[in-house]
Structures are given as structure tokens and as C-alpha cells.
């Protein structure tokens, strides 16, 4: 059993201020027994501001400070940040730090959809990523990745029983419904638990943001391998604490045959 906290926050423009949100979230989650603490995509700095000036490597000050928080509390922290790319763009990176890990997953599928063009400023990643903690294998994915079932099946093939999915979901008509359906569908596709941690809705917390940027809608969600909703948040800032049993993933895959019966 793994206890995981999803910290649904509103990230601001300033990485240092957002680091304080990470510290506070980790401290509260550890007090409740969490072993992994997950923050949204763009936890370092929200979308809607220039990203290149805040991008730092994984050994830079921001990621190193998060690593120190994780080490102090003996947890793994997963948080969205931006790292430099070689072509003048940045990479949309999930920092995974603590428990002997300090790695970054670069978002593979970029949000060139619904009138937004993430690839203008962000370079794509190329490789799925898993990590292990306490004998459990975790996969990671970021936001728009959730629309691509093959990634989640690949993570399951790599041994993952749980996928952590930070996001900063774009608002719009029907977008909440799509978010909820996609999270549950990817859990069914792969037999994995999917723990989706989104940015809180700025409107719900009285924060003014760039209206053209995907700055979050809230509604973080946890679904097991049967597609059942185990926990769900509202629109505002909130922390979900979930006990995840990886054995449920094996039961789901045996029942649905979603991996074993693939033909393509």
C-alpha cells in the first residue's frame, strides 16, 4: 500500500513563491503519512508568462531546493518545472526527487490543440519514464499525454502499477468532462491506478491569470484500474490523500484483458 498526496494548488509567476507552496504542501502531506507528494504541471511557474527566463536544469537552484525538501522529509516529490532545451525553447519537465531519485520526465505530447500551441515554446520529450519506491513501480505522464493511451500501456508494459499525472488543464466548454473521462479511460486501458493532480481553477481562488493560457480547472482525480473514481477534488485549492494498493492493478488487468488481449 502506498499513501500518496495530490496537492492541487494555484502556482504563480514567481518560482521562489511557488517553492514555498511546495514546502508547505510536503510538510502537511508528510504529517498525514504520505510517501509521495505530487504537485501539478507548471508548479515551478504557471503558464501564461515567458518560460525561458525561469527554466533551470535539474541541478539548478529550484530543483535542488525541492530535492532538499524531499530529503528532509524522506518522501518523493513530483512537481512540474521547466528545463532549458537546446533550440531556444524549454522542456516541460516533471521533477521526480527523493527516495534515491533525482530525475526529469520531459512531456512527450505537447498541447497543440484548442487554439494553443505549446510547441512554439516547448520542445517535446521522447521517452517514457518509470521509477520505483517501496517495491512499487510508478509511471509518470503530463497533462495532454492523457489523450494518448499508448503511453499508458507502455508504462504498464514497463512494470508500472500506478501512473502519476500532473496537469494544468485548459478551461473551456466540455473540458472538465473530457478530463474526467480521459483519466478513467487511461486507467482502464492500462490497468494502472491513475492519480491526476491538476492546477486549481484560478477563478475559484480569486487569482487573475492570462485568460488564453491553460492555467487549470481543478478537479484532481484518482481512478483505479477498473476505472472507478476513488477520490476527487473540487475546483479550488485542496489536497487529496489516497492509499493505493498496487494489487488492484493486477486484478483489473486479469479481469478486463485490456493488455493481454491486444492485437495491435
Amino acid at each position: 500500500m502506498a499513501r500518496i498526496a495530490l496537492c492541487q494548488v494555484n502556482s504563480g509567476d514567481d518560482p521562489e513563491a511557488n517553492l514555498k507552496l511546495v514546502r508547505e504542501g510536503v510538510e502537511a502531506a508528510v504529517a498525514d503519512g504520505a510517501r509521495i507528494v505530487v504537485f501539478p504541471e507548471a508548479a515551478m511557474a504557471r503558464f501564461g508568462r515567458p518560460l525561458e527566463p525561469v527554466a533551470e536544469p535539474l541541478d539548478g537552484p529550484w530543483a535542488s531546493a525541492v530535492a532538499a525538501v524531499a530529503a528532509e522529509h524522506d518522501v518523493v516529490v513530483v512537481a512540474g518545472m521547466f528545463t532549458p532545451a537546446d533550440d531556444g525553447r524549454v522542456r516541460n519537465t516533471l521533477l521526480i526527487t527523493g527516495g534515491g531519485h533525482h530525475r526529469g520526465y520531459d512531456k512527450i505530447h505537447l498541447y497543440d490543440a484548442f487554439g494553443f500551441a505549446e510547441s512554439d515554446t516547448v520542445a517535446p520529450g521522447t521517452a517514457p519514464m518509470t521509477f520505483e519506491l517501496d517495491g512499487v513501480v510508478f509511471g509518470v505522464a503530463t497533462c495532454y499525454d492523457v489523450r494518448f493511451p499508448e503511453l499508458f500501456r507502455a508504462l504498464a508494459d514497463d512494470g508500472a502499477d500506478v501512473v502519476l499525472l500532473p496537469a494544468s488543464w485548459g478551461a473551456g466548454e466540455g473540458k472538465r468532462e473530457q478530463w474526467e473521462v480521459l483519466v478513467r479511460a487511461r486507467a482502464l486501458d492500462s490497468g494502472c491506478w491513475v492519480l491526476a493532480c491538476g492546477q486549481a481553477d484560478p477563478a475559484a481562488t480569486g487569482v487573475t491569470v492570462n485568460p488564453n493560457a491553460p492555467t487549470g480547472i481543478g478537479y484532481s482525480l484518482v481512478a483505479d484500474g477498473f476505472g472507478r473514481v476513488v477520490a476527487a477534488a473540487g475546483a479550488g485549492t485542496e489536497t487529496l490523500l489516497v492509499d493505493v494498493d498496487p494489487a488492484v492493478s493486477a486484478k483489473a488487468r486479469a479481469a478486463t484483458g485490456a493488455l493481454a488481449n491486444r492485437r495491435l
Side-chain angles (χ1 to χ4, degrees), residues 28-120:
V30 168
D32 287 329
R35 290 288 289 133
I36 299 178
V37 187
V38 183
F39 293 88
E41 176 187 26
M44 179 194 205
R46 69 185 173 202
F47 288 111
R49 57 146 297 152
L51 300 178
E52 188 178 3
V54 300
E56 296 179 2
L58 292 176
D59 60 356
W62 199 86
S64 296
V66 177
V69 172
E72 177 185 353
H73 296 285
D74 190 26
V75 293
V76 171
V77 176
V78 179
M81 63 176 292
F82 301 100
T83 57
D86 295 333
D87 60 2
R89 294 181 292 178
V90 303
R91 295 192 188 275
N92 186 339
T93 301
L94 288 184
L95 171 66
I96 300 124
T97 188
H101 302 286
H102 190 76
R103 308 167 62 191
Y105 162 71
D106 296 329
K107 183 180 182 182
I108 293 173
H109 302 97
L110 299 183
Y111 184 52
D112 290 355
F114 294 98
F116 194 79
E118 186 175 15
S119 64
D120 284 350

Side-chain angles (χ1 to χ4, degrees), residues 7 15 25 85 118 142 164 176 205 213 233 251:
C7 296
E118 186 175 15
T142 305
L164 307 175
R176 176 185 170 185
T205 52
K251 293 175 183 176

Side-chain angles (χ1 to χ4, degrees), residues 12-241:
D13 290 338
D14 178 18
E16 189 63 33
N18 294 331
L19 187 59
K20 182 180 178 183
L21 291 179
V22 171
R23 288 195 187 100
E24 292 172 348
V26 169
E27 288 170 0
V30 168
D32 287 329
R35 290 288 289 133
I36 299 178
V37 187
V38 183
F39 293 88
E41 176 187 26
M44 179 194 205
R46 69 185 173 202
F47 288 111
R49 57 146 297 152
L51 300 178
E52 188 178 3
V54 300
E56 296 179 2
L58 292 176
D59 60 356
W62 199 86
S64 296
V66 177
V69 172
E72 177 185 353
H73 296 285
D74 190 26
V75 293
V76 171
V77 176
V78 179
M81 63 176 292
F82 301 100
T83 57
D86 295 333
D87 60 2
R89 294 181 292 178
V90 303
R91 295 192 188 275
N92 186 339
T93 301
L94 288 184
L95 171 66
I96 300 124
T97 188
H101 302 286
H102 190 76
R103 308 167 62 191
Y105 162 71
D106 296 329
K107 183 180 182 182
I108 293 173
H109 302 97
L110 299 183
Y111 184 52
D112 290 355
F114 294 98
F116 194 79
E118 186 175 15
S119 64
D120 284 350
T121 55
V122 178
T126 58
M129 181 175 290
T130 62
F131 70 94
E132 187 173 336
L133 182 71
D134 299 337
V136 180
V137 178
F138 296 84
V140 291
T142 305
C143 202
Y144 191 61
D145 279 336
V146 76
R147 293 188 181 272
F148 301 89
E150 59 272 20
L151 173 59
F152 289 73
R153 292 180 178 134
L155 292 169
D157 288 341
D158 288 342
D161 287 319
V162 183
V163 178
L164 307 175
L165 177 70
S168 186
W169 200 250
E173 183 178 357
K175 293 297 294 300
R176 176 185 170 185
E177 291 79 5
Q178 291 176 35
W179 165 249
E180 292 170 344
V181 166
L182 286 163
V183 170
R184 297 176 70 184
R186 295 299 80 83
L188 278 165
D189 291 337
S190 63
C192 290
W193 289 82
V194 178
L195 282 73
C197 180
Q199 289 275 351
D201 183 352
T205 52
V207 176
T208 301
V209 296
N210 181 340
N212 298 318
T215 48
I217 64 166
Y219 299 106
S220 295
L221 186 69
V222 176
D224 70 10
F226 290 97
R228 298 176 297 204
V229 175
V230 175
T237 56
E238 184 175 348
T239 295
L240 293 180
L241 196 69

